[in-house]
Amino acid sequence: MILDIQKLETGYGKLKVLLGVDLHVGKESVGLFGPNGAGKTTLINTIMGMQRPWSGTVKFDGQDIGGKSTHLVARSGIALVPQERELFPGMSVADNLELGAAWVPRAAGIEKRQLDMVVQLFPILKERLKQYVGTMSGGQQRMVAIGRALMANPLLLILDEPSLGLQPSIVAEVFERLALLKKEVAILVTEQNVRESLKAIDRGYVLENGAVALEDSAAGLAKNPHVVSAYLGI
Amino acid sequence: MALKRRATILAALSAAATILILLWKPSVINNGLQQAGLYAAIAIPMGLVLGIVHIVNLAHGEFMMVAAYATYFACRATGMDPLLAVLPAAAVTAAFGWVVFQLTIKRALKAPELNQLILTFGIAIALTQAVNILFTSQTFKLQLDYVSASIDIGEDTFPVWSYVFVAFAILYAVGLKLFLTRTTIGKAALAVGQNPKGAAIVGIDVNRVYGLVFALALALVGAMGALFLTKQSIFPSVGSPYTMKSFCLVAVAGIGNIPGILGASLLLGISEQVLRGFRDTRAWADIVFFVLIIAVILGRSIKWRKS
Amino acid sequence: MTKLRTEHLTRAFLGLVAVNDVSFSMEEGEILGIIGPNGAGKTTFINLVSGIIMPSSGTVEYKGRDITYLPAHDRARLGIARTYQLIHPLENLSLIQNVMVGSIFAKGNGLRAARAKAEEVCASLGLTGLDRDTSKLTILEIKKMEIARALANEPEVLFLDEVMAGLNSDETRELIAQVQTIARERKLAVGVVEHVMGVIKELTHRVIVLEAGELIAEGPYEEVSKNPRVIEAYLGGAA
Amino acid sequence: MNRNLARVVATLLGALAVALPALAGAYPLQVARNVMLYMALAITWDMLLRSGQISFGIAGLFGLGAYASILGVIRAGMPAWASIPFAAAFSALAALLIGYLILRLRGMYFSIVTLALAEIFRIVIHNLHDFTGGPEGIVAPQGVIFGGSASALYWLALGGLAVALGASIWFERSKFHFALTAIRDNEIAASTSGVNIFSWLLATFVITSGIQGLLGGIFVQSYGFATPDSVFSADFTLLPLAMALLGGIHGTVGPIMGAVLLGVASEWLKLQMPYGHLVVYGIIIIIVILFMPRGLYGLARKMARPAEGRAE
Amino acid sequence: MRKALALLAIALIAIPAFAQTGDTIKIGGIWTLSDITGKQGSAAALLAVEEINKSGGVNGKMLELIIADDEGKADKAAAAVEKLATVDKVEAFIGGMASGAEVGKIPAYAKYNKVVVATGAASSAIVEKALGPSPGSDYYFHLHPWDYNQGASYAEGWDAIQKKFPSIKIKKIFLAYEEGAFGKSSWDATKLLFGADKRYTIDGAPFKSALLGGGDYSAVLEAAKDFKPDLFLWAGYDADALPLLEQSKAIKFTPKIYLGAPPGWPIGFGSSKLSKNVMLYGMWSPSMNDTNPASKKFYDAYVKKYREEPATYFALLAYDAVKILADGIKLAGTTETAALVKALEATKYASPLGETITFKPSNIIKHQGITRQKILQWQNGFQEVLWPFEAATAAPVFPFPAWK
């Protein structure tokens, strides 16, 4: 088990957002679905130490990381591709990628290898290593964000809405790459574009109102009438 | 890109103006340059703190004052030249700044910026007044022969010592540029300045970087304190005008634009000297600074609204 | 009667065209769905129509009057109101005060009249506990408050930007019913941006579909949802 | 209950302010005048802050009013009392002109521009020797207004404070409250709710600047002289700011509490330690900001309802 | 630093200690205590009180000095007067330095109409004007010369010096003045007094004092150098003293007389090589200890009590103020204003400043004490008095040496 979350509760102020979430990720690719406000981003923030758990446990690679600072979580081997990308706009692509690896012990000494992998995954980045990230399109920035996360040679890669703001063609491309990646690294991905992401995952959870409403294999989810009506309605 | 074009036009215009003035009154350029160096070297560390830690440090000049006092007493006790004290002063001020940061500013990092402003204002008062109690309001000055160094060209004599400030300003700007773009820790600092959340995500200890950057800025301020002492008298309130000047220069340059501070200082230093060069405009030299600030900021805001 | 019409509305940001040559109209009493994938330009489109940003070219007409370059606050006075995708309560005002803002400034009401109006609007949405701070409201209440603030403008055109997002199915159903009642009773033209297709299906009379800033389809939901171009836009690549 | 308590406290304070000349000696009255002046400035600064705009130009408009008043008397032959409303009008007019230029700026840029303008006013007055008296300053020929009567001067200062207080309370209870709070919370939501942001900001800037000018006029007539260094002193910007922050911002009560705290503390400290009291003053500011980030009023409110502490 | 702490401790103890004595005459002293002038002024006043009390007090009563801080601000100064007058119920006032703070006190002083022996405030434009003419301002005894007094005394002094030392010839005078009130009033006085006399050609230029954030004198020095003055004089602050000399040296500007007129000089200025033969305007220097016994007595007592040198003549003015006031009360036998004013009008006090202080009318007020400043010169690290000749401690060295 790489990530094991049990009975996790947290919230903001007096508002409880997660009401006891159980979720685990092994060496696999896991999807996390649900409407806006269901608590997906809160769950990710809690894993990453940006949000303190009120109760419950978050275990990563056998260690309790609940409540640890974000940078320590990141150094322990979880890489996040946040919804808002959170890149360094005034720095070059190369620097953004470099920073992905610079502070993570797991990536020490193998930066070159990781960089090769990233540019192989997103060839367009190779041409643009010197370009400032702030001047790139949303889709390209999304690639940089994924690339930056991969540079850390993570044990677990978390992607929060990787297709947000992307044109459909690029969405397809991103998920193709993710499908390739799942052999290398455990993945947890939240996505509104359920149909596309089902191709890239092994298993999925549906989160509703702060609790897991459904857990099934990708194939099972695709057939589930609730999922079809809510997310695959068209 | 637009920035670069603007910078080029500005550079060309100022080059032309410079040549004109050089022909007419060369000392204006000579003095303006040196004054600009002083302004820039003091303002750059403030720009660093504002750009990365996002704190307007109203105790900026006061830290320089403290460094200058420390250097003064060290030099008087040991007979050392303040130039030799530049590095120790930097180290001591950095350590002092780090402690002040940990005790106070760190706790206010997430507070509204106004609270930070008043906090550093309180620090400024406390530092000034503590020095006043210890050493009174009297001025101290080291007297050093090399400060009066000059070069004769034809009939004219040009003082040159203050080019040491120009050298430091350039050293600071270039050094910081290299540090922030070439070293891992520097890149981390830049990353924290641009996006603290993104920095934490890649494993950077944001609070530590804030502390380090603050200490680094204070090291630069401390070195300037020692250097300032070579030329100027010191007294408890000597730092506060430089806080305000630095703040304004940083704003004119644009937050996070450290090389821009060089340009802004140059513009200010030379235009001040030009006004002081004429009998009728002498008294108005002070105003040019503030008029420039307003012009630049309003000009920039109009541009923003357009895009 | 046509309440709102755009002609060739276009907006580019630094070379990126966010809304491209969109012409559409909204009729009195109509609930219009505005759909499209993320980044299709739905919110930009509403921003253009409500006056938060100005178009690069094209026109916006309100009841026959050209309002293309009218500032947002003047449009609010004329009768265009909206809510926001990311909820933005005015957090330093109480629930009722939030709602009053619409009435005070768009309608120029005095505080007392504005309060009466706000109470009326809140009642129609089933909001109670009107003097609470916004930090003490549930998501549903905040959504309703935002709608109430827009309604307190006494608008004729109302845009709801992802107002159902984050609500559970019971809450969604409740709000759909309320929006329908409101639109009918107040004779509003309502524009609705939603991701959840069930909502669009139930709520709207007609939809327009945007993709990469362009209007690619228009018509009743049942019809549009079978349009292959729409399916492709939504699902990406070969569906 | 709480509101009633507040009303009682306010009434008591008001009664105390009115009764003070009868109860207290000249020294407390003089200190009260100083405190009231800074209190009024703190309130006006806070009034603009309620829109989110941070002005560093209080001293500029205060000083402008001060000079308008004294020059009105000397150059235009105004009676001293009339020069005070004239000062208010002058500063308000200046604010109207400046406001058109600078109220589109936000954040630090607005702050710096106001600071720069204050300096420009000072330098202009400083350099117009023949008209303004230049750096040496200028003395009102008739001396201090009301013949220097301590109680009359107290009433004058109280009057200035009352204008600021009245305006602030009016702001809190009128459309201004809705407009400014909406602008501070979310300009976009405000504008689509019909708030004409620029107009409300301009009105607020003009009103608060006018009051600052009025206070400048009162100050100058109460002491009978003006010098650029005294009336454009950075103290008139920084102390009100610190007072408002220490008391608690975005309301009338906070600045009042802050002004009382700092005003009385500075006077009290001086009696305790004549040499070096300013260090303690600085340290008080540091401590209050660190441990009461929402100011005294924020702390008081938090303690009044401990059960609801958890949020924020 | 230890000295500073000792001074602080003494001052802190001193105030309540005196407050406890029973039947006393209370005097209020107001200074800007964070400033060296206020710090040493108040210390010197305490010394005077101590001396008077040791020798039996005044008319059988002990003197008690109560000190208040004006923070250099008009409003705080007014509060200080009110506090001393109503809470401490003092019977007379001394003190003062900055004109901007002094004007703030005047309405309150006038209200209480108690005797004031003022030690500072040179600005005739605001302070003397605010005081107004006699009899309204008769309670006010102003020790420090007004700005125009100073200007007149320099004109007088230079005439005298040129007459006595024919080798010294002054035709062209250049004044570099700081752009604030102090410098500007010096410039006005200089223009008026030297400029009116056709024997002199006057020019001047302002600079921003280092005290107020300046410190670059290149423009003003260039202007002075172009003018080629016989007498170059600058009116600024102690912070400007050495940097001005250094920058003058850098541009090889060597007037025949280089003269500074700051209120005080930086610590250790005399030991700087550049100080050699720089002239200055002032009121007192420790070198006067050799010729003036009153000066020596004061100096020794001050150094003994506080273990530091009096660095500013404001210390002596404060000391004198107490002594003059005590003598006046002795003579009048009361602190009642009319009688005390009359007694003070008869003052003939041999001051450690090297002159006998009497009160005469000035342009507006009736009671002006000192009207002359002195012309001094730094010689071998000491300030030697050149003029007035009766107080002189050395002959002038002329001209100012060229830079090496």
Side-chain angles (χ1 to χ4, degrees), chain D:
Chain D
M1 162 87 196
N2 231 335
R3 183 164 290 185
N4 283 340
L5 187 73
R7 207 162 283 167
V8 170
V9 171
T11 316
L12 280 177
L13 283 176
L16 183 70
V18 173
L20 202 64
L23 301 175
Y27 172 50
L29 279 191
Q30 174 67 40
V31 173
R33 271 168 58 197
N34 297 351
V35 172
M36 289 192 302
L37 172 75
Y38 282 105
M39 188 185 285
L41 288 173
I43 290 170
T44 58
W45 176 76
D46 183 80
M47 283 161 69
L48 182 60
L49 184 72
R50 292 172 206 170
S51 73
Q53 291 286 60
I54 302 166
S55 165
F56 285 169
I58 310 173
L61 292 147
F62 179 87
L64 213 55
Y67 267 95
S69 167
I70 198 161
L71 292 174
V73 171
I74 295 172
R75 306 280 176 223
M78 278 182 203
W81 63 267
S83 76
I84 293 174
F86 171 70
F90 191 83
S91 284
L93 185 69
L96 184 70
L97 299 177
I98 301 164
Y100 264 104
L101 271 177
I102 68 169
L103 277 171
R104 310 218 183 256
L105 299 173
R106 292 291 179 272
M108 204 179 89
Y109 294 101
F110 177 79
S111 308
I112 290 200
V113 167
T114 53
L115 179 75
L117 280 166
E119 279 300 304
I120 289 177
F121 295 156
R122 184 183 66 78
I123 298 168
V124 167
I125 299 239
H126 186 279
N127 281 344
L128 296 178
H129 305 271
D130 296 336
F131 187 67
T132 63
E136 294 151 283
I138 196 162
V139 174
Q142 87 292 356
V144 177
I145 194 169
F146 304 137
S149 149
S151 56
L153 289 173
Y154 175 84
W155 292 120
L156 182 62
L158 187 64
L161 174 62
V163 171
L165 261 178
S168 176
I169 292 170
W170 172 51
F171 267 41
E172 280 185 321
R173 297 194 176 164
S174 68
K175 291 186 180 183
F176 273 98
H177 176 62
F178 290 86
L180 300 183
T181 312
I183 293 169
R184 173 169 105 239
D185 281 349
N186 188 330
E187 285 196 22
I188 289 176
S191 70
T192 48
S193 298
V195 181
N196 185 341
I197 293 171
F198 183 74
S199 303
W200 286 100
L201 286 181
L202 189 63
T204 307
F205 188 58
V206 168
I207 291 169
T208 56
S209 302
I211 299 173
Q212 284 157 10
L214 178 88
L215 296 166
I218 291 176
F219 178 82
V220 91
Q221 294 300 340
S222 304
Y223 294 98
F225 81 103
T227 70
D229 292 342
S230 65
V231 300
F232 289 103
S233 161
D235 281 344
F236 290 121
T237 294
L238 286 170
L239 290 184
L241 225 134
M243 285 169 175
L245 275 164
L246 296 187
I249 49 178
H250 299 150
T252 309
V253 182
I256 294 179
M257 292 174 84
V260 171
L261 168 79
L262 278 195
V264 173
S266 88
E267 212 43 50
W268 181 79
L269 277 170
K270 198 153 77 180
L271 301 183
Q272 300 310 304
M273 44 186 302
Y275 300 87
H277 53 93
L278 289 167
V279 180
V280 185
Y281 190 76
I283 292 171
I284 290 180
I285 293 179
I286 296 173
I287 288 176
V288 174
I289 282 289
L290 284 182
F291 297 101
M292 297 175 220
R294 280 152 184 273
L296 290 178
Y297 187 48
L299 186 76
R301 279 204 296 196
K302 205 167 156 189
M303 295 209 304
R305 355 170 248 193
E308 301 177 29
R310 177 152 192 174
E312 58 241 346

Side-chain angles (χ1 to χ4, degrees), chain B residues 25 27 31 35 39 72 76 129 132-145 147-152 155-160 230-235 237-238 241-242 245 273 276-277 279 282-283 286, chain E residues 1 4-5 8 34-37 39-40 179 203-208 210-219 222-223 225-226 238-243 245-247 249-252 265-267 272-274 308 311:
Chain B
K25 221 175 182 182
S27 63
N31 299 330
Q35 198 62 24
Y39 291 155
Y72 175 82
R76 213 174 62 170
Q129 295 301 329
N132 194 337
I133 291 185
L134 293 176
F135 308 115
T136 77
S137 66
Q138 266 185 305
T139 55
F140 297 94
K141 172 81 176 76
L142 290 175
Q143 201 263 303
L144 303 155
D145 290 335
V147 178
S148 303
S150 62
I151 291 176
D152 291 327
E155 302 236 311
D156 292 322
T157 305
F158 296 100
V160 291
T230 61
K231 191 171 180 199
Q232 308 273 44
S233 311
I234 56 168
F235 46 90
S237 59
V238 71
Y242 291 92
K245 279 222 161 88
Q273 290 293 338
R276 284 194 202 284
R279 177 177 296 270
R282 247 168 219 157
D286 263 359
Chain E
M1 187 181 125
L5 286 176
L8 176 78
S34 61
D35 192 71
I36 184 76
T37 54
K39 198 168 177 179
Q40 295 200 336
E179 58 190 23
D203 197 7
F207 64 89
K208 194 176 183 71
L211 193 68
L212 305 165
D216 173 43
Y217 313 98
S218 46
E222 301 269 356
K225 194 181 173 192
D226 289 346
D238 50 357
D240 302 316
L242 269 167
L245 278 164
E246 285 166 351
Q247 292 181 32
K249 183 179 175 190
I251 63 162
K252 304 211 170 83
W265 290 82
I267 289 176
S272 147
K273 279 178 283 183
L274 298 180
E308 66 173 14

